[in-house]
Amino acid sequence: IPDRGLFGVFLAGADPKKGGGRVGELDEEMVYESRVGDVFTLGTSSWRIEDITRDRVLVSPAPGVPGRLPFWKGDQLGRPLELGRAVGAFLREVGSLPKDDARLRLLAAGLDAWAADNVLSYLDEQREACGHVPDDRTIVVERFRDELGDWRVVVHSPFGAQVHAPWALALGARLSERYGMDAQVMHADDGIVLRLPDADLMGLDLLDQAPMKAGTPFHTAVDPEQAPVGAADVAFDKGEVDQIVTDQVGGSALFAARFRECAARALLLPRRNPGKRTPLWQQRQRAAQLLQVASEFGSFPIVLEAVRECLQDVFDVPGLVELMGDLESRKVRLVEVTTPEPSPFARSLLFGYVAQFLYEGDSPLAERRAAALSLDSRLLAELLGQAELRELLDAEVLTELERELQWLAEDRRIKDPEGVADVLRLLGPLTDAELAERGAEPQWA
């Protein structure tokens, strides 16, 4: 059983023997990436790291200081290739039947009438948007622009996350090598989502217009009306995709973690006291030193086992190779389409993509206010000290804004007892005279 665990977070100076001062827990990877003095958010409060010991993190309160959100990592196996093929075959079967027969097929599969009608409507909307529904014989590459004008490329495939994860890894490496762009790639059970920053595409266009120098990588012309990534970039040669994924995995955190676990199972990281756990950070340190030596020998058994575990247990690279072979032999067709807006299937995938970035700026109100005030005061004084910038600030506008923020403007006056509660919550304690000035009646207070 591999050693994985959480670090306890305790208040600095508290007595751990009495069980006091415990704040919470952090993932070992989060602690590994943190340093003394860092501030993080836990339990809607900010905490500053005072010390990191072998099994716990000592913190002190840091009210009002913006901090980064902690993360916890867990293993998610994802849909295997066999189940993905079954799902794709079922979609193909339902999509090929007349509507009444398809409804009966769904009812026979165990769905009630309401769910069957929803599934049929969902498939009809997808077919109307893209002209195709992805199944075990059809992969759809959909391209559209998002709200900011950047291109999104969605690869609709039912074959599962174990195949899509190495596919996305290889796809990111190809885009970086071929176009020099840093594409954001997210994989799920139902496909892959790529976001292509428009700034990178503009850079490619400028490269195409500029004279080529000796040794400069070749760039194809970029049509602003078409996404530069299509079916040709998504498909890989059956014989090369295995090596591409292997090269990318070798330098990843996934490989480092799996190598540590394999080395521990092979008793290459012995414990001094078998009855006690070795701290995870010490295991990682020794594993890194072992990997540095073992990497000089390509046939080192633990390296081979770690690579095998990454490519076959976590990823399904043999399944990806098989899928690329089916694309080459035309057993599975690849269809690309450009849509004005995301299709129903794409919207479901984009929901997972947005979830990765939705809470990046999420923090309590006090932290948001502190972040807004974290501008260097010397820089602010230097900027506002220049006459031409001072002229940009209208005194009347500032006065009007101040009256609005203080609830003194006519359209912000208190109208009921709930308004009194809102004012006290936002502005703090106020006297009866100050409340009356803002429109409050005496009986409301």
Side-chain angles (χ1 to χ4, degrees):
I1 300 175
D3 275 340
R4 297 177 184 172
L6 300 173
F7 279 68
V9 181
F10 295 85
L11 283 173
D15 188 356
K17 295 182 180 179
K18 297 181 179 180
R22 185 179 180 87
V23 177
E25 293 178 332
L26 291 177
D27 187 87
E28 60 167 316
E29 296 295 334
M30 169 75 180
V31 177
Y32 179 64
E33 296 178 7
S34 301
R35 298 292 182 270
V36 174
D38 289 355
V39 178
F40 64 91
T41 301
L42 189 64
T44 70
S45 301
S46 294
W47 307 92
R48 179 177 287 105
I49 299 177
E50 301 295 342
D51 190 17
I52 299 177
T53 68
R54 62 182 181 85
D55 59 353
R56 63 183 58 201
V57 179
L58 303 180
V59 299
S60 61
V65 180
R68 62 193 183 113
L69 294 176
F71 59 83
W72 291 268
K73 295 182 179 179
D75 290 338
Q76 183 178 3
L77 295 178
R79 181 191 301 159
L81 178 60
E82 295 77 12
L83 179 58
R85 283 177 172 157
V87 171
F90 184 77
L91 287 174
R92 177 167 51 85
E93 178 187 356
V94 172
S96 62
L97 294 174
K99 187 171 184 179
D100 293 338
D101 295 341
R103 191 172 186 275
L104 292 176
R105 177 68 179 87
L106 292 174
L107 293 175
L111 276 67
D112 59 20
W114 182 75
D117 291 338
N118 280 344
V119 170
L120 292 177
S121 300
Y122 189 43
L123 296 179
D124 289 342
E125 291 174 4
Q126 175 66 23
R127 189 177 293 106
E128 182 179 353
C130 286
H132 304 274
V133 174
D135 53 42
D136 61 330
R137 297 180 183 175
T138 304
I139 295 177
V140 180
V141 179
E142 180 184 356
R143 306 175 297 187
F144 55 88
R145 287 190 180 272
D146 61 13
E147 297 85 352
L148 296 177
D150 296 332
W151 279 105
R152 298 283 183 95
V153 179
V154 178
V155 181
H156 297 285
S157 163
F159 295 107
Q162 294 185 11
V163 170
H164 296 158
W167 193 358
L169 203 64
L171 191 53
R174 168 174 284 184
L175 295 180
S176 177
E177 178 183 357
R178 181 174 295 182
Y179 298 107
M181 67 173 64
D182 183 18
Q184 297 175 347
V185 186
M186 189 276 299
H187 69 273
D189 280 331
D190 297 313
I192 302 172
V193 179
L194 295 92
R195 177 179 175 271
L196 309 179
D198 199 44
D200 288 351
L201 304 184
M202 293 172 62
L204 288 179
D205 201 25
L206 292 175
L207 282 173
D208 295 325
Q209 297 175 9
M212 299 291 288
K213 296 182 180 180
T216 303
F218 175 72
H219 293 275
T220 56
V222 176
D223 184 357
E225 299 302 322
Q226 291 290 334
V229 176
D233 298 286
V234 169
F236 288 83
D237 183 78
K238 178 182 178 181
E240 69 175 5
V241 66
D242 190 352
Q243 187 61 42
I244 294 176
V245 175
T246 303
D247 293 341
Q248 294 300 312
V249 164
S252 65
L254 170 66
F255 174 76
R258 294 288 171 167
F259 179 83
R260 173 174 62 84
E261 295 173 8
C262 292
R265 283 198 301 267
L267 304 181
L268 293 181
L269 304 176
R271 302 177 184 179
R272 183 176 181 180
N273 188 342
K276 294 183 179 180
R277 287 186 60 185
T278 305
L280 295 172
W281 65 271
Q282 288 185 357
Q283 292 188 34
R284 185 183 294 109
Q285 190 176 41
R286 295 188 64 181
Q289 295 172 347
L290 178 62
L291 179 58
Q292 185 177 4
V293 176
S295 59
E296 300 178 3
F297 306 93
S299 59
F300 191 71
I302 307 304
V303 173
L304 296 179
E305 174 61 17
V307 172
R308 185 209 62 79
E309 200 168 301
C310 291
L311 299 184
Q312 298 183 13
D313 294 350
V314 183
F315 298 157
D316 187 4
V317 175
L320 177 61
V321 173
E322 187 178 347
L323 177 60
M324 294 298 112
D326 291 341
L327 288 174
E328 290 180 5
S329 62
R330 301 297 189 268
K331 291 182 180 179
V332 178
R333 61 174 179 160
L334 200 59
V335 180
E336 60 181 355
V337 58
T338 302
T339 58
E341 59 183 14
S343 64
F345 279 25
R347 285 195 291 268
S348 299
L349 283 170
L350 290 177
F351 184 80
Y353 178 88
V354 171
Q356 291 190 351
F357 306 98
L358 182 62
Y359 298 107
E360 276 191 334
D362 188 21
S363 57
L365 179 61
E367 271 72 6
R368 291 203 301 269
R369 288 177 176 172
L373 297 175
S374 60
L375 181 65
D376 190 345
S377 58
R378 292 176 298 176
L379 176 61
L380 185 62
E382 181 181 349
L383 291 175
L384 296 182
Q386 300 177 9
E388 58 271 17
L389 287 179
R390 284 203 307 268
E391 294 173 358
L392 297 177
L393 302 177
D394 192 332
E396 295 181 359
V397 173
L398 292 177
T399 302
E400 181 181 355
L401 177 61
E402 182 181 5
R403 289 182 59 81
E404 290 181 359
L405 295 177
Q406 289 294 324
W407 288 59
L408 294 171
E410 290 297 327
D411 58 341
R412 299 293 300 273
R413 294 181 66 81
I414 302 174
K415 300 180 177 61
D416 49 38
E418 291 185 1
V420 176
D422 291 338
V423 169
L424 294 176
R425 178 173 56 85
L426 293 173
L427 302 184
L430 297 173
T431 64
D432 293 341
E434 290 172 334
L435 287 174
E437 186 180 6
R438 289 162 174 80
E441 299 292 339
Q443 62 272 20
W444 295 345

